[in-house]
């Protein structure tokens, strides 16, 4: 079985970090597994963790009355889940549901925040990884918001029998 | 199958008469029509993947519509139309046995020579899968042409996924790496949710030995072309299908002018290196 340090070192999100950084990160990490349809994070609960997804995928959802859970994103293996742990009030904004069995490395957010405060070099190294990933997600979300594809329009299938 | 920008005979400026012989609703407002030439004497030539026709909804007007299937029988074409305005509305309302006019095939198609032995990455958004379907079918019929084929498709929602049966056939029977993602879905949807470009890092291709074929709304094509370039493809290996309003479709009227090109004659398929700068010019 791989050590937690090895699992972290092999994850693309932390590619190229040095041993000292890995050790610090590993001090806040544990192995985590989730069954299909269980939640890694729940809207409005404390954002006390962040996850590196090793395999499986997670649906990002929000609940709309009368419409049920709406999925607006998927986080897959080799990606990370969880941003709200970075900034106050440290509360999840959305649900994250395992779409299949998920294996991840879970980091204790308080522990990690403490290390970032104590050693800004760790915080800076993490930010260099989070910011580009967040920029990519923001760009994707903006294009999704523009609703450029078009879809079913009124009329059609029901209007006539061919 | 040469993509020729020129057209022979009367069909260049005068519509030939066609009949709808089959029709399938893909989803509300979008239909695939199988058309057959009404008069044997009218000239007909096979459409190369990526070419388009001017379809004339009788008494309403003409619109440019891409061919969405390979020519199966002489005298026949397949098109997929999405209701956008008056003409496409009239076309989608046509029923089996109804008549319409057709000019074409027009334009320069997908670069069939350039895909040979390459890793082909097809990136489609929404109805953009329709003009790509013929070249995907071509690659599916002859798996020896390309080294590998990945089809990345983005749609608004699960109920707006075009050619679902084809997508699973390409995946299961033709051995293509087919990935579908939607912008939003209910939780019952087991597939991916997110922008189509997020699928690019998940597929394997040799950047210097790959060709990208992109079709969809222009915003999506700009981002997809940029993402393929970031992934290491040279601009020359990235191909896009452009759309502008058309009238004559034969390079006379200037309606479809795009920088120094006429989309109807020099396109609609262009390599990214030729149009990248023009794509960034507004109001063109
Ligand atoms: C080379 C080429 C291939 C095409 N292939 C297809 C195809 O396979 N299937 C298909 O359904 N359509 C296709 N189109 C688009 C189609 O020709 C246009 O949507 C056409 O304007 C429809 O005419 P209309 O009278 O129904 O709508 P219009 O009254 O012309 O337009 C209705 C609405 O759609 C908007 N619109 C018009 N054209 C476009 C466009 N190109 N992109 C985005 N919005 C637009 C207008 O601004 C307006 O709001 C193609 C266009 C080109 C140039
Ligand atoms: S449509 Fe007339 S020049 Fe292209």
């Amino acid at each position: 079985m791989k050590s937690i340090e090895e699992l972290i070192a092999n994850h693309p999100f932390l590619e190229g970090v040095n041993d000292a950084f890995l050790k610090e990160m590993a001090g806040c990490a544990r192995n985590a597994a989730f069954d299909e349809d269980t939640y890694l994070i729940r809207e409005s609960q404390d954002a006390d963790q962040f996850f590196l997804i090793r395999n499986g995928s997670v649906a990002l959802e929000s609940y709309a009355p009368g419409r049920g859970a709406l999925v607006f994103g998927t986080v897959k293996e080799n990606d990370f889940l969880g941003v709200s742990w970075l900034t106050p009030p440290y509360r999840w904004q959305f649900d994250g549901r395992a779409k299949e069995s998920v294996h991840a490395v879970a980091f204790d957010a308080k522990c990690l925040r403490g290390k970032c405060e104590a050693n800004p070099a760790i915080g800076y190294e993490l930010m260099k990884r989070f910011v580009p990933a967040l920029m990519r997600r923001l760009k994707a979300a903006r294009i999704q918001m523009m609703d450029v594809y078009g879809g079913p329009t009124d009329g059609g299938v029901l209007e006539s029998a061919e | 199958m040469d993509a020729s920008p020129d057209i022979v005979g009367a069909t260049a400026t005068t519509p030939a008469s066609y009949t709808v012989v089959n029709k399938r609703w893909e989803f509300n407002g979008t239909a695939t029509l199988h058309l057959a030439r009404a008069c044997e004497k009218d000239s007909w030539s096979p459409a190369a993947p990526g070419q388009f026709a001017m379809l004339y909804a009788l008494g309403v007007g003409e619109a440019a519509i891409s061919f969405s299937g390979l020519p199966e029988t002489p005298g026949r074409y397949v098109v997929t139309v999405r209701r956008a305005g008056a003409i496409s509305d009239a076309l989608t309302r046509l029923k089996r046995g109804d008549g319409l006019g057709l000019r074409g095939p027009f334009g320069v198609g997908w670069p069939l020579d350039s895909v040979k032995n390459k890793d082909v990455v097809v990136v489609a958004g929404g109805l953009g899968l329709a003009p790509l379907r013929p070249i995907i079918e071509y690659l599916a019929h002859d798996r020896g042409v390309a080294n590998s084929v990945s089809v990345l498709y983005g749609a608004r929602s699960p109920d707006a996924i075009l050619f679902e049966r084809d997508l699973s056939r390409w995946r299961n029977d033709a051995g293509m790496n087919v990935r579908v993602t939607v912008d939003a879905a209910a939780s019952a949807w087991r597939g991916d949710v997110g922008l189509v470009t997020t699928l690019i890092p998940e597929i394997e291709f040799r950047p210097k030995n790959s060709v990208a074929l992109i079709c969809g709304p222009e915003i999506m094509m700009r981002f997809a072309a940029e993402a393929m370039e970031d992934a290491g493809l040279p601009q020359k290996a990235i191909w896009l299908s452009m759309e502008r309003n058309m009238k004559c479709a034969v390079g006379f009227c200037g309606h479809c002018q795009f920088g120094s090109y006429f989309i109807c004659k020099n396109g609609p398929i262009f390599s990214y290196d030729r149009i990248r700068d023009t794509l960034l010019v507004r109001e063109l």
Side-chain angles (χ1 to χ4, degrees):
Chain A
M1 210 164 93
K2 286 185 176 166
S3 70
I4 201 82
E5 251 180 77
E6 280 174 307
L7 291 181
I8 301 174
N10 288 336
H11 198 283
F13 186 70
L14 295 179
E15 198 183 327
V17 294
N18 63 36
D19 288 350
F21 179 90
L22 269 184
K23 245 194 175 60
E24 295 283 1
M25 293 288 287
C28 300
R30 65 179 173 84
N31 230 326
F34 299 87
D35 290 334
E36 181 177 337
D37 282 333
T38 58
Y39 288 84
L40 285 81
I41 60 176
R42 287 311 298 245
E43 183 176 337
S44 86
Q45 289 184 358
D46 285 349
D48 51 6
Q49 300 186 77
F50 112 90
F51 302 90
L52 295 182
I53 307 297
R54 290 173 46 221
N55 45 57
S57 59
V58 179
L60 298 177
E61 302 178 340
S62 196
Y63 184 81
R67 295 175 69 191
L70 302 177
V71 187
F72 60 88
T74 317
V75 175
K76 287 185 263 188
E77 66 182 44
N78 298 335
D79 207 347
F80 69 92
L81 172 71
V83 181
S84 305
W85 68 278
L86 279 167
T87 54
Y90 308 123
R91 206 172 296 132
W92 297 124
Q93 310 287 315
F94 304 106
D95 292 339
R97 178 179 51 85
K99 280 171 44 179
E100 55 198 314
S101 131
V102 168
H103 291 98
V105 177
F107 293 87
D108 180 316
K110 245 191 202 147
C111 169
L112 220 49
R113 285 197 299 262
K115 292 198 176 184
C116 294
E117 286 296 336
N119 182 356
I122 295 181
Y124 181 60
E125 191 61 50
L126 269 182
M127 284 312 125
K128 280 200 291 189
R129 286 150 202 280
F130 267 106
V131 172
L134 289 176
M135 291 296 287
R136 273 198 301 278
R137 287 190 189 177
L138 182 62
K139 182 170 162 184
R142 283 175 169 159
I143 302 172
Q144 274 173 265
M145 234 175 67
M146 288 183 226
D147 189 19
V148 289
Y149 294 141
T153 51
D154 289 342
V157 178
L158 303 176
E159 96 197 348
S160 62
E162 268 68 47
Chain B
M1 242 193 290
D2 270 348
S4 159
D6 295 316
I7 171 133
V8 285
T11 52
T13 48
T14 315
S17 181
Y18 275 72
T19 307
V20 177
V21 288
N22 206 350
K23 175 181 183 183
R24 189 182 67 237
W25 286 108
E26 301 295 343
F27 39 76
N28 268 5
T30 296
T32 294
L33 307 174
H34 292 248
L35 310 175
R37 179 175 49 176
C39 174
E40 287 284 323
K41 282 193 204 130
D42 283 333
S43 70
W44 176 93
S45 54
Q51 284 192 300
F52 68 97
M54 294 301 287
L55 294 191
Y56 174 45
L58 303 179
V60 185
E62 272 191 323
I65 303 291
S66 299
F67 296 102
S68 63
L70 285 175
E72 284 158 12
T73 322
R76 297 218 173 184
Y77 292 121
V78 185
V79 292
T80 301
V81 186
R82 176 170 172 264
R83 177 177 296 166
I87 301 164
S88 49
D89 179 45
L91 290 171
T92 56
R93 282 178 196 281
L94 291 174
K95 293 198 271 296
R96 196 181 296 159
D98 285 349
L100 71 160
L102 184 150
R103 295 190 289 129
F106 294 118
V108 181
W110 297 107
L112 299 184
D113 284 341
S114 307
V115 299
K116 285 192 181 128
N117 302 321
K118 295 284 169 56
D119 293 330
V120 179
V121 182
V122 174
V123 188
L127 191 66
L129 188 58
L132 282 161
R133 187 165 171 256
I135 189 161
I136 301 173
E137 287 291 0
Y138 165 70
L139 295 169
H141 283 168
D142 190 349
R143 283 295 284 116
V145 172
N147 182 59
S148 72
V149 182
S150 301
V151 178
L152 312 181
Y153 179 47
R156 177 198 272 176
S157 53
D159 63 355
I161 294 173
L162 204 57
F163 309 139
E164 250 182 315
R165 269 177 303 181
D166 295 324
L167 288 163
S168 53
R169 184 167 49 81
W170 297 333
R171 180 188 293 121
N172 300 326
D173 301 344
M176 297 180 173
N177 186 0
V178 177
R179 305 287 182 101
V180 178
T181 183
V182 298
D183 275 352
S187 62
W189 165 249
R190 306 310 294 180
D192 285 339
V193 178
L195 195 67
V196 69
T197 49
T198 60
L199 300 174
I200 294 172
E202 293 172 23
I203 55 163
E204 281 182 23
F205 53 92
R206 301 159 299 163
K208 298 287 174 245
N209 237 325
S210 295
V211 168
L213 311 175
I214 306 174
C215 186
E218 202 164 303
I219 295 179
M220 169 247 150
M221 288 203 292
R222 282 208 311 267
F223 284 108
E226 199 183 293
M228 291 310 304
E229 196 182 358
D230 290 347
L233 266 75
Q235 289 184 358
K236 273 183 191 324
I238 302 170
W239 298 80
L240 292 80
S241 179
M242 296 302 301
E243 278 190 19
R244 285 294 181 273
N245 266 341
M246 295 205 177
K247 272 269 181 275
C248 72
V250 287
F252 290 153
C253 71
H255 257 81
C256 67
Q257 187 160 3
F258 183 64
S260 55
Y261 301 116
F262 288 148
I263 286 182
C264 66
K265 208 166 163 65
N266 308 114
I269 314 296
F270 292 91
S271 59
Y272 189 43
D273 60 319
R274 293 171 75 199
I275 55 166
R276 186 185 171 278
D277 293 342
T278 316
L279 266 176
L280 298 174
V281 179
R282 292 169 191 216
E283 310 301 341
L284 262 187

